[in-house]
Structure formats: C-alpha cells, structure tokens
Amino acid sequence: MPKLDLKTLESWLWDSANILRGSIDSSDFKNYIFGLLFLKRANDVFEEEVETLMANDGVSREEAEEATYFKMPPQARWSEIKKATENIGVMLDKAFDAIEEANRELNLEGVMTSTKFGDKERLSDDTLQRLLRHFNQHSLRNADLYTPDLLGDAYEYLIKQFADDAGKKGGEFYTPRGVVKLIVGLIKPQPGQTVYDPTCGSGGMLIESARYVAGQSSGKVGNIVNVSLFGQEKNIGTWAIAKLNMLLHNFDSADLRKGDTLVNPQHKNSDTELQLFDRVIANPPFSQDRWWTPAEVNLPKKLDKDGKEKEVAPNYATAVTDKFGRLHYGTPPRGYADMAFLQHMLAVLKQNGRMGVVLPHGTLFRGGAEGSIREKLLEADLVEGIVGLPSALFYNTGIPAAIWVLTKTKPETLRKRVRIIDASQEFKEGKNQNELEDQHVARILTAYDAGQDMDKFMNVVDLADIKANDYNLNISRYIDRSEAAEVIELAAVHAALRELEAKEADIDAKLESLLEEIGL
C-alpha cells in the first residue's frame, strides 16, 4: 500500500468538513474534525507502538500497553468507537474524558473534552457514523505517512481552510502563514531560547518559531527542537486546538495556558512578577474594546436625554490598575487594547530579547493616550522597526496592519533610529484575502536586515525626524511612493504644435482643391 501523501491527506480531511455541512456552523467545523483527527491519530500511533514493543522486547500486549508514551484507554480505542451505532456522541465524549484522565502528565485537562459530541440536536448518530466511516479510510500510523510531520502540515492546512470557510470569524484563530513567517524572520529566535505568544490562537506563530530554530545549527537535540514554547489563549476552544496542534507537531512540552492575558497573565514567577522570555511574538485582536474586564463590571447608569438608562463609561486612565506594572508608558483608551498588548509583551521581554507584534495601522498615528505612549516608546529607543503590510491580508478585517519590532538593547548603529518599510505592494491578489508569498517575505527580510535606505521601499529614519513629525509613524511621511511628474519641455511642445498646424493647413488646402475639381 502506498504511503499517504500530503495532497491525499488534505483532500481526505477536507471532505470530512463536507459531511458536517448543514449540521453545524462552518466556524465550528474545526472543533469536531480536529477532535476526531487527533483520536484516530493517537489510536493508530498507540497501536503501532504496542506492536513494536511486543516485537522488539518480546513482551505481552498488556505489558506493551503499559509501556507506551501516550495511553489509550480501552473505551477510547478506534476498534471500539467504530462499532457504535447509537449514542455515538456520548460514547465519544466518554472516550475523550478517559484519554484526558489516562494522560494527566501531558496536561490535557479540558483539551479533548472542550467540544461536546453528545448533543444530538447538532450531530445525529447518522452524521457521526458517516464521519467515523470517513476517518476509517486511512491509517495514520507513522509507517503509513510519507513523513511523521505530515499530519502537522495537514493540520495547518485545515486551520487555513477553516479560516477561509469561516470568513471573518477565521481571524480569531488563524494568522496567515506569510505574516507569521515574516514576523519570525524579523525577531529571529535562536536555539536554546524561550518563545512566548500571549494571544497564541491555534499556535501557528509558536510552531513557525520552532521551525525557524530547527533549521539552524544546534537547532535540534536528537529529534527534539531546541526551543521552549509558551503561550496563552482566552478562547477555550481555540486553546484546545492549539494544544492538539502542539501534540501533532511533537511539541507536547509546550506550556499553553488558558485565560485573558491582559487581566490575568498566567506565566509568572510570583503574584506580582511575570516570567521573562527571549522572544515574544503575537497577533492580538485588532483594537479590542472594553479590554479591562474589572473596569466593566457593575457600571453605574444614568438617564440620557430621552429618559433611557445608559451605562457610564469608565475612565480607563484611573480605572485600570495593573499589579504587574506593565502599563509603564501609559494606559491605552477603553476602545483600543493594541498598546496594552504591546506593553504586556514588552514587560515580559528579557533585556537582550526581541519582540514582534502585528497591530492595526492606527497605532502608528492615533493621538491622545496612544500618541503619548508611542512618543515614550520612541524616546526610550525601544522601537527598532516598523513594517507596513498590504491591506486585506487578515480574515477579520480588510484594513492594513503593521508589524512593530521592539528590543530593549539596540546595536550602536541603530540607536535613536527606526527602520521603516513600506511593504504595502508586496502581495499576491486573492479572491477574498491577499497573500504574502515567500518571495515577498524574502524581499522584506533582506531589506530589513541590510538596514540601508531603498527608494520607495525602506528608510532608516532618525528619531529627530520622527520627533519633528510629532512622533507620528505614518509610513507615507517617511517613504514617498509617488512617481515623479514627467518634465514638460515647452519649446518642444510649441514646435510640435506648429508642425501639426502646418500639416492641418496642407490637408485643408488639398481638400479644398478636390472639392473644386468635382464642382462643389
């Protein structure tokens, strides 16, 4: 039997989504399919490991099952699941619960059981039976895959496809691959370092960071990538997908926590001290409003001019109190959390670390509290570079965004200077979203690393010039993409006009002669 290649695997997995159409919303497909995908993969690898142990060590099946790395309780095994003809969803829920219980050391609590299969109003036994038959078509043992990493690649493909299918909701869990590659290339994680994503979504940025490290000398120790991954995600369903994503990519040691990073950061050394990281990377939700939950509880109300009750908006400048001291450069306004995420990332960055974050273009020029924060960041010489991205790259918005690159220790050649790139034209046009392809990423990274001015593309700007622009980082102020107007030579134009007038007179004379000949 030929080994399962990526194209076949992708098509097979995507067909599973078509079975679900009409039963549940497309934005929820991923939760069910990823759960079944992981169950089939875990079962097949478990069986493969059991058979290998029995053959190599001469032990009984019972002894081999006890010795496997990942435990599969009897009620969770595929051979049992596929027999079911009724109450299949309840059986799956019990199977996932048993897997979590049997693998406590992997911190899977809430991962497998975050999606409930037992609701028959959403998923009938007939639909689930079709799904099980569909997933039974292929073996997902390592020996039957073209490469052991194949499933991880297919998983990423599915995440993108689900983001496409879910439309605007897709932006909640997926950052386009080109954008991820670009940010990773800008912050350059190194072997042995820690990488942290405070809004990790489905984990794509952390996995790409690990890939980058794995491609370097000493990037791997045996088969283990020499990097430590950390992340936090507020959406429980998306957090569960991130955990599965890590397991399928063999990063089971990744430390992913649940919760609101701004209000309740989970990676900390004490109640008032946060853990620090070598590299910090993120694509936070753009311009999230009402971002400090404690300030939004039990808001006072007043009557408006029509006599209707209306909540009194809190003043975030006084209502937000952070025991970790992260908002050192100022408190962002209620309607824009962008600079709160940036300052959180800066607070957990080591002194010699680097961070990259995608933020909406408005962060480059908005005034008020954000303008004050931007000024302080620039004066503290923390901003290394700004890369303006094309519009329509993201699923949740059509507006353009920019990557901020920050570091606490700039090289001497970059002190009081900021690299600014206008990459707004670096994209392949798509039907729904534009795409940042590898050649676009390569051009941006080459220019950024060279650190030299490039006409209509990059400019290394002195802080004095930024200060003269009132700390406005709007890219068009520093990179002029307009084409020079064509120089008009008036003398040549007049000569051409005289020549045309002479030709016109000659034609008129010939026409007059012809008309006389025919008697008109």
Side-chain angles (χ1 to χ4, degrees):
M1 178 185 292
K3 293 192 175 185
L4 190 61
D5 60 33
L6 182 59
K7 185 176 180 181
T8 304
L9 181 59
E10 288 175 345
S11 176
W12 173 57
L13 292 175
W14 184 245
D15 284 345
S16 64
N18 294 325
I19 295 174
L20 287 173
R21 292 191 191 281
S23 298
I24 57 175
D25 189 85
S26 61
S27 62
D28 292 330
F29 285 176
K30 62 187 185 302
N31 301 334
Y32 295 93
I33 291 175
F34 289 157
L36 288 176
L37 170 62
F38 185 81
L39 180 64
K40 183 65 163 62
R41 166 68 167 171
N43 175 88
D44 290 0
V45 172
F46 170 80
E47 291 293 338
E48 183 178 42
E49 188 177 359
V50 166
E51 291 172 12
T52 300
L53 287 169
M54 290 171 65
N56 293 346
D57 299 345
V59 297
S60 67
R61 180 176 179 90
E62 184 178 355
E63 290 171 318
E65 289 179 0
E66 285 297 317
T68 58
Y69 172 70
F70 191 89
K71 309 301 180 188
M72 286 294 290
Q75 67 268 42
R77 294 176 193 173
W78 195 258
S79 58
E80 292 300 312
I81 297 293
K82 70 179 183 180
K83 292 177 185 176
T85 57
E86 59 182 11
N87 296 322
I88 300 173
V90 173
M91 188 175 185
L92 285 168
D93 288 340
K94 289 179 179 179
F96 290 132
D97 186 61
I99 289 175
E100 288 186 2
E101 182 66 25
N103 294 277
R104 285 189 172 186
E105 68 279 4
L106 294 179
N107 298 314
L108 294 180
E109 183 181 357
V111 176
M112 312 300 298
T113 54
S114 64
T115 300
K116 301 301 180 186
F117 285 78
D119 184 353
K120 287 192 176 183
E121 290 187 3
R122 304 198 76 194
L123 285 176
S124 67
D125 280 332
D126 287 343
T127 300
L128 284 172
Q129 209 166 29
R130 286 183 62 200
L131 272 178
L132 293 178
R133 284 198 299 268
H134 182 75
F135 273 92
N136 199 48
Q137 291 176 7
H138 294 286
S139 165
L140 296 179
R141 295 180 177 216
N142 287 324
D144 295 324
L145 301 180
Y146 187 74
T147 168
D149 292 333
L150 187 67
L151 205 66
D153 293 339
Y155 192 92
E156 287 185 35
Y157 161 82
L158 273 180
I159 289 174
K160 181 187 183 303
Q161 292 299 102
F162 285 136
D164 282 336
D165 211 51
K168 191 171 182 179
K169 289 184 179 180
E172 296 175 5
F173 59 88
Y174 179 77
T175 301
R177 184 77 177 272
V179 177
V180 177
K181 283 185 173 181
L182 177 56
I183 304 178
V184 171
L186 289 167
I187 67 171
K188 296 178 172 54
Q190 300 299 305
Q193 289 188 336
T194 53
V195 182
Y196 166 69
D197 184 342
T199 58
C200 67
S202 54
M205 286 190 167
L206 293 174
I207 287 172
E208 187 61 39
S209 297
R211 274 205 191 97
Y212 185 93
V213 170
Q216 303 176 54
S217 59
S218 73
K220 281 189 171 184
V221 179
N223 290 322
I224 305 299
V225 181
N226 187 16
V227 69
S228 298
L229 305 178
F230 300 82
Q232 185 166 337
E233 172 56 40
K234 183 178 180 180
N235 183 294
I236 300 303
T238 305
W239 167 82
I241 288 173
K243 290 281 285 186
L244 294 179
N245 201 2
M246 294 296 158
L247 289 168
L248 289 171
H249 280 87
N250 300 316
F251 297 123
D252 47 80
S253 62
D255 183 357
L256 306 187
R257 311 275 182 91
K258 294 175 280 188
D260 185 333
T261 302
L262 292 181
V263 174
N264 189 21
Q266 292 294 305
H267 295 89
K268 50 195 176 185
N269 299 324
S270 69
D271 285 342
T272 56
E273 182 185 14
L274 295 171
Q275 185 176 346
L276 302 183
F277 304 94
D278 298 296
R279 296 290 185 268
V280 184
I281 186 169
N283 173 23
F286 284 2
S287 300
Q288 179 182 327
D289 66 349
R290 305 187 181 204
W291 49 271
W292 192 258
T293 308
E296 301 294 339
V297 178
N298 298 323
L299 293 178
K301 296 180 180 180
K302 67 177 182 180
L303 296 178
D304 62 16
K305 61 181 181 180
D306 297 321
K308 296 180 180 179
E309 278 194 339
K310 182 180 179 182
E311 289 183 341
V312 179
N315 179 1
Y316 268 43
T318 56
V320 178
T321 55
D322 177 41
K323 64 182 179 181
F324 299 104
R326 291 171 293 173
L327 304 179
H328 177 72
Y329 298 96
T331 303
R334 186 190 191 203
Y336 301 100
D338 308 307
M339 285 299 187
F341 282 112
L342 183 149
Q343 289 188 84
H344 166 77
M345 295 171 70
L346 194 58
V348 299
L349 186 67
K350 289 183 179 178
Q351 189 60 37
N352 60 347
R354 291 167 64 82
M355 60 169 274
V357 57
V358 187
L359 297 176
H361 247 225
T363 57
L364 301 177
F365 54 80
R366 286 194 294 246
E370 288 183 296
S372 174
I373 294 168
R374 188 172 57 248
E375 175 182 342
K376 291 172 183 175
L377 291 170
L378 287 162
E379 284 294 343
D381 210 14
L382 295 166
V383 183
E384 179 187 289
I386 300 290
V387 178
L389 297 173
S391 60
L393 284 180
F394 300 89
Y395 290 94
N396 54 345
T397 178
I399 65 171
I403 298 171
W404 289 63
V405 182
L406 281 78
T407 179
K408 294 179 178 178
T409 309
K410 280 187 181 181
E412 188 62 38
T413 54
L414 266 181
R415 298 278 170 84
K416 299 297 181 181
R417 306 178 83 201
V418 179
R419 295 175 183 174
I420 298 179
I421 288 181
D422 181 355
S424 60
Q425 304 307 305
E426 298 295 311
F427 66 92
K428 175 186 176 183
E429 189 172 356
K431 182 179 178 182
N432 297 316
Q433 272 78 39
N434 293 326
E435 185 176 355
L436 200 64
E437 295 188 313
D438 286 348
Q439 66 265 29
H440 304 129
V441 172
R443 183 182 185 223
I444 296 166
L445 291 177
T446 299
Y448 190 92
D449 292 341
Q452 303 295 322
D453 290 352
M454 289 179 62
D455 186 43
K456 302 186 188 307
F457 190 66
M458 175 169 168
N459 198 359
V460 183
V461 183
D462 290 333
L463 180 60
D465 293 332
I466 296 174
K467 183 177 181 179
N469 277 312
D470 294 325
Y471 300 96
N472 187 320
L473 287 174
N474 201 343
I475 292 172
S476 61
R477 292 187 176 227
Y478 306 100
I479 299 177
D480 183 8
R481 295 194 63 90
S482 62
E483 297 294 333
E486 185 180 352
V487 177
I488 299 174
E489 295 288 346
L490 290 178
V493 171
H494 285 147
L497 283 173
R498 286 195 294 272
E499 185 178 345
L500 287 172
E501 287 170 354
K503 287 181 179 179
E504 184 181 12
D506 184 50
I507 291 170
D508 286 344
K510 288 180 179 178
L511 179 61
E512 191 90 17
S513 174
L514 288 171
L515 291 173
E516 285 181 3
E517 287 180 13
I518 60 176
L520 292 176

